[in-house]
Amino acid sequence: MDVSSTSKATFQPSFWRDRSVLVTGATGLVGGWLVKRLLEAEADVICLIRDWTPNAEIVRCGDIDRVTVVRGDICDQECLERVLGEHEVSTVMHLAAQTIVGIANRNPVSTFEANIGGTWKLMEACRRSPKVEQVVVASSDKAYGDAKVLPYTEDTPLAGMHPYDVSKSCGDLIAQSYANTYDLPVCVTRCGNFYGGGDLNWNRIIPGTIRSVLRDEAPVIRSDGSFVRDYFYVEDGATAYMHLAEQMAERPELRGEAFNLSTEIQVSVLELVDQVLETMGSALQPKVLGEASNEIQHQYLDASKAREMLSWKPDFALNEGLARTIQWYQNYFENHQRQSPAIARVSRSTAAA
């Protein structure tokens, strides 16, 4: 099954056709799927790319050849202003960020520069670009920090305490400040933990577990397995961003609003790993390290505001999203095995499960 060809995605063709759309973070997990959907909608897509990532979904599937690529850094404001001006960008999808908690703990300055500095520089560039009509900024449920009352609603204070969480709190507030002070047409999204095909950060629990099963190795859980998270399928995220931009065009009064996007299901890490193992028909047992630090114990979102104000709901339940994700990785490793068996090292018996 080619999961990219069986999307439930819906969009307004008349809105997107030939629309100039800037996507930052296009080589990331959500960015790759968002670009795919924008191309389906016949948008004119411009991607700001800093590092060349040959295994990124946008490269792997050939979408890189169908977009305009600008090599540059999200922290380079002159570059941002040039891109917005020369390409007459109408809609900005800001996904660029350093997204790994462990890297943020080890390298806080580079995380702050990308996630905070990159956000204010892009907001300022958009403020100075009269053609920009919508700006969607991807924040995170981590922006809320370790709240005492769950689920998070959009009224929960943004109170990150550790480097990654703080970077998302700050970027989120900066985006809102440009909407409230300068009337910049900005909306913020706060999503749970994204998962889906194309995520090659193997220290994340879902791709790491799937790869372990395909290699017939025990999956590794860095924490004690009790951490509870809100898992959000990447194709739902991509279509939600497009839907939000469409709604912003119809309803200018949405500027400055933040929206939680979620399936509103609480799942512990151990439960999630067990579900992946069951779906893949594996009898492997996870290895629990109990080594995670500076991570929030319990997080999940209330998405009622998005349901009511945007008439939005996710298309994929967790079991559907996991099945599509597993299929993507099976295809990915089978292709790698044919190209380079020494690299892929995929077990024939488990790959067929």
Side-chain angles (χ1 to χ4, degrees), residues 327-347:
Q327 183 65 60
W328 188 96
Y329 285 104
Q330 288 175 330
N331 294 342
Y332 174 81
F333 279 107
E334 286 170 2
N335 289 336
H336 268 241
Q337 186 181 37
R338 285 193 292 269
Q339 295 166 9
S340 180
I343 294 176
R345 299 193 296 123
V346 181
S347 167

Side-chain angles (χ1 to χ4, degrees), residues 256-270:
E257 295 284 356
F259 294 96
N260 292 340
L261 301 173
S262 167
T263 53
E264 300 178 286
I265 297 174
Q266 304 176 61
V267 183
S268 74
V269 172
L270 192 55

Side-chain angles (χ1 to χ4, degrees), residues 197-215:
D199 185 359
L200 303 183
N201 287 306
W202 303 112
N203 58 349
R204 287 187 177 141
I205 192 65
I206 290 178
T209 298
I210 295 171
R211 184 176 70 167
S212 293
V213 173
L214 292 175
R215 292 178 170 181

Side-chain angles (χ1 to χ4, degrees), residues 4-324:
S4 67
S5 66
T6 56
S7 169
K8 300 180 182 180
T10 58
F11 45 79
Q12 297 178 15
S14 60
F15 178 80
W16 294 106
R17 186 173 295 118
D18 300 326
R19 173 169 288 264
S20 182
V21 182
L22 172 64
V23 179
T24 73
T27 58
L29 171 61
V30 187
W33 286 96
L34 177 57
V35 167
K36 191 183 301 294
R37 299 303 171 229
L38 288 168
L39 290 172
E40 287 179 7
E42 300 183 26
D44 180 9
V45 182
I46 301 98
C47 297
L48 180 71
I49 295 176
R50 184 190 67 178
D51 299 333
W52 181 250
T53 311
N55 285 324
E57 174 65 9
I58 189 176
V59 178
R60 187 197 67 83
C61 71
D63 286 344
I64 194 76
D65 297 324
R66 302 172 60 201
V67 303
T68 299
V69 174
V70 176
R71 297 302 297 272
D73 195 308
I74 192 63
C75 294
D76 185 343
Q77 188 174 331
E78 289 185 4
C79 173
L80 296 173
E81 292 190 15
R82 181 186 70 79
V83 173
L84 294 172
E86 291 186 2
H87 293 279
E88 297 185 303
V89 170
S90 298
T91 302
V92 175
M93 301 287 196
H94 178 40
L95 281 66
Q98 195 298 103
T99 61
I100 307 300
V101 172
I103 292 175
N105 289 337
R106 293 188 298 271
N107 302 279
V109 173
S110 63
T111 299
F112 294 153
E113 288 176 341
N115 297 3
I116 303 173
T119 298
W120 72 252
K121 289 176 181 177
L122 180 59
M123 294 304 99
E124 180 65 9
C126 290
R127 185 177 75 88
R128 294 159 60 92
S129 301
K131 291 284 188 178
V132 172
E133 298 173 351
Q134 301 90 29
V135 184
V136 176
V137 174
S139 183
S140 167
D141 60 351
K142 307 302 183 292
Y144 291 117
D146 195 357
K148 302 299 182 185
V149 178
L150 292 172
Y152 301 127
T153 70
E154 289 83 355
D155 293 328
T156 302
L158 303 183
M161 294 295 291
H162 302 296
Y164 178 72
D165 311 337
V166 167
S167 77
K168 299 309 285 186
S169 299
C170 291
D172 194 315
L173 288 167
I174 288 167
Q176 291 182 65
S177 76
Y178 270 82
N180 293 320
T181 305
Y182 305 108
D183 288 330
L184 192 69
V186 180
C187 279
V188 175
T189 65
R190 299 170 187 154
C191 303
N193 285 27
F194 276 111
Y195 73 95
D199 185 359
L200 303 183
N201 287 306
W202 303 112
N203 58 349
R204 287 187 177 141
I205 192 65
I206 290 178
T209 298
I210 295 171
R211 184 176 70 167
S212 293
V213 173
L214 292 175
R215 292 178 170 181
D216 200 22
E217 300 170 352
V220 174
I221 297 176
R222 292 182 298 108
S223 68
D224 63 4
S226 67
F227 287 18
V228 174
R229 292 291 182 265
D230 193 324
Y231 293 94
F232 191 46
Y233 184 52
V234 66
E235 292 189 70
D236 273 331
T239 54
Y241 291 162
M242 292 175 66
H243 178 68
L244 177 55
E246 293 169 1
Q247 289 291 298
M248 292 171 68
E250 294 177 7
R251 301 159 60 193
E253 67 272 15
L254 290 177
R255 72 177 60 196
E257 295 284 356
F259 294 96
N260 292 340
L261 301 173
S262 167
T263 53
E264 300 178 286
I265 297 174
Q266 304 176 61
V267 183
S268 74
V269 172
L270 192 55
E271 289 170 340
L272 183 70
V273 170
D274 286 343
Q275 188 164 343
V276 172
L277 292 171
E278 181 180 353
T279 303
M280 299 183 74
S282 172
L284 291 167
Q285 294 297 310
K287 181 179 180 181
V288 181
L289 301 181
E291 295 177 348
S293 62
N294 295 339
E295 294 196 31
I296 298 167
Q297 182 74 29
H298 195 168
Q299 293 182 300
Y300 71 105
L301 293 159
D302 179 338
S304 58
K305 180 180 176 181
R307 290 199 310 271
E308 294 165 7
M309 289 185 65
L310 304 176
S311 299
W312 172 86
K313 63 182 179 66
D315 289 324
F316 296 93
L318 181 61
N319 63 329
E320 291 181 283
L322 284 178
R324 292 169 71 89

